[in-house]
Structure formats: structure tokens, C-alpha cells
Amino acid sequence: QNFRIDGRSRSDVRPIMIETDTVSHASGSCHLRLANTDILVGIKAELETPLPQNPDRGRIEFFVDCSANATPAFEGRGGESLAADISRLLARSYESPEVFDLTDLCILAGKTCWILYVDVLVLEVGGNLYDAVSLAVKAALFSTKMPVVSVTSVDGGEPELELSDDPHNHTRINVDRAPILVSLSRIGNHCVVDSTPEEETCSSAALVVAVTPKGRVTTVKKIGGGSFQPSSIAAATAQAISVGVIFVGAASAARCPPHRDPCLFRPGGL
């Protein structure tokens, strides 16, 4: 039957708490709790030189750190492999210009661009880590504020850049098309979303699907030693697209003025 041990159906998501602008010295930040999974994201925007192969594009780089206190499995160097895997998957999810246009981060082609350093700290693991991290990243990107840059021309010299020191004179990043990761854990003949640690232990394999708000799939990754039949992959992907709408709703709920109370989002079942 479509009934889990905590009372949810296979497509139900646990309550999500999102609080943005929590790190004062960061350009953008987010603190997210999904049940017992606790994530903190800080984003630093810095002016750098564009890469030679992409002179008209800025850059976004992801760094994930799994705290040794998050779960006993992370003690020592246990979390390094998982952290690197999440970083790579986030980079793949955001690499398409159709979901995140890096040309918006360019100031002077070939000379100056914004680079976004996205630092993710996993404080506690209570299941569904990939999804929680991606949701916190998107909320932090939405809260990111970059000072307005003015370009002045100097006769016979290089253009000069001037950053506004007015805290209210800033630009924001368009993350309307940014993806959300949705994990589906296979248990028996069915897939469940937002799995608990106990459900992840029982799962033979999982699919992590990057879904845009319009339902476009940008990345799919299989985790675990089990397998999926082609038909079950199609069904799982369709389920991920439906659940992605719920996560997008949670991210949208966080789009509020800074320095407010945390937003508690209680998703409905599908």
C-alpha cells in the first residue's frame, strides 16, 4: 500500500524550514532544515578575470563540507567522497545556460566578471541530503546581493570599475529557472521521495534528478548498487518532476525581505 512508517505516502515531503540572510558577511546565505537534515549555505561574490575560453561569462563554483558531527559516518574523512559527489552534481545541474545564464555575471568581456563561491556546510543528516542541499543553494542564490558596478572610461587608459557602497544599490541573480534536485529511493518495486535514514538503508538504489521549475530534467544520477528497469526510470522521472514543483514552492516561500522569521513550509501530498 501507499503508506510509509511515518504516515506519509510515497510522494509526500516532510516540513521544510528556510531562513535567508543568516550570515552577515556573505553576499547571500540560507539556513535550511528538512526534518533533521540541517544545511547552511553561504555565497561570496567576488570580481575576477573570466576564463579565456569563456570571456563573456562569469563563474559559479560549489564547495560542500560534511561536518564530522553531522553523522557518525562522516567521522574522520568519511564525508569527503559524498561532499565531492554533491559538488559535482550541483555543477552539472547549473552548467546549462538555459537554467542559469552566466553571461549575466559578466562586467567587461575578457576583463572582469563576478564569480560566485557557494559554500555548503552539512550540519546534520536526517535523510534526503541531495535535495536539501540543492534547495538551500537555490534559496541562498536568490538572497544574494551584488553591489552595482559602474564602468568609467579613462582617456588612453583601461576602463575603471567603481563599486557602489550603498547597501540598497545592488543587483540580484535570476534563479527562476534554476533546478532542484529530487531523490527517489527504490524500496521493493516502488520509489519514495524525501526518504528518511531508515528508508535509505532499506533502499537498493536511488535516482537523483535535477528538475527545473518548468519540469525540464537537466541531470540524472544513479546512486547505489541496485538497478532500475527502463520503464521504472521513466516513472521515477515523472514522479521527480511532480515533486520538484513542491520544492519550487518551498523555495518561492523563502522570497521574502531579509531579517525576518524563518519560513516553515508544509508541503501537501500528491
Side-chain angles (χ1 to χ4, degrees):
Q1 294 184 355
N2 188 9
F3 190 80
R4 295 154 74 174
I5 193 170
D6 58 5
R8 292 182 292 151
S9 71
R10 290 191 291 268
S11 296
D12 280 349
V13 178
R14 294 168 293 178
I16 305 167
M17 188 210 74
I18 300 177
E19 184 180 8
T20 55
D21 296 285
T22 55
V23 182
S24 59
H25 61 275
S27 303
S29 59
C30 173
H31 179 215
L32 178 142
R33 284 194 67 93
L34 173 60
N36 289 331
T37 298
D38 196 358
I39 308 295
L40 181 64
V41 177
I43 298 178
K44 192 69 174 177
E46 296 185 359
L47 291 175
E48 301 282 352
T49 302
L51 296 174
Q53 62 269 32
N54 297 307
D56 61 342
R57 299 173 61 186
R59 305 201 302 276
I60 181 170
E61 297 185 2
F62 299 94
F63 305 92
V64 179
D65 181 18
C66 295
S67 170
N69 297 323
T71 175
F74 290 170
E75 292 181 0
R77 304 181 64 179
E80 290 186 0
S81 177
L82 178 61
D85 188 61
I86 296 175
S87 299
R88 288 191 296 266
L89 190 55
L90 287 170
R92 285 170 52 192
S93 302
Y94 277 81
E95 67 182 3
S96 171
E98 296 183 13
V99 299
F100 193 75
D101 192 357
L102 291 175
T103 59
D104 293 340
L105 301 178
C106 182
I107 306 298
L108 286 173
K111 295 185 179 296
T112 308
C113 70
W114 287 108
I115 178 169
L116 303 177
Y117 295 101
V118 183
D119 293 303
V120 180
L121 178 59
V122 179
L123 299 171
E124 187 176 358
V125 178
N128 201 20
L129 185 58
Y130 284 83
D131 303 21
V133 167
S134 74
L135 186 55
V137 166
K138 183 166 183 174
L141 284 170
F142 179 81
S143 75
T144 297
K145 296 180 287 290
M146 301 177 296
V148 171
V149 180
S150 302
V151 181
T152 58
S153 299
V154 179
D155 293 339
E158 292 290 327
E160 292 186 355
L161 304 180
E162 182 178 345
L163 274 67
S164 173
D165 55 5
D166 183 351
H168 301 290
N169 189 21
H170 57 257
T171 59
R172 289 185 178 270
I173 302 170
N174 184 4
V175 293
D176 290 341
R177 297 174 295 172
I180 294 290
L181 298 181
V182 180
S183 302
L184 300 109
S185 300
R186 180 183 175 185
I187 302 176
N189 296 323
H190 299 283
C191 289
V192 300
V193 302
D194 187 22
S195 53
T196 64
E198 294 78 13
E199 290 172 334
E200 291 176 347
T201 301
C202 298
S203 174
S204 59
L207 280 182
V208 183
V209 183
V211 183
T212 68
K214 291 188 176 181
R216 178 172 177 262
V217 175
T218 63
T219 304
V220 178
K221 176 182 176 62
K222 187 185 81 71
I223 299 174
S227 61
F228 284 84
Q229 296 292 334
S231 59
S232 62
I233 292 178
T237 302
Q239 185 180 5
I241 292 173
S242 299
V243 175
V245 175
I246 294 178
F247 283 133
V248 169
S252 299
R255 298 184 176 189
C256 305
H259 310 303
R260 62 180 192 86
D261 293 334
C263 170
L264 178 62
F265 183 77
R266 297 184 181 275
L270 294 178

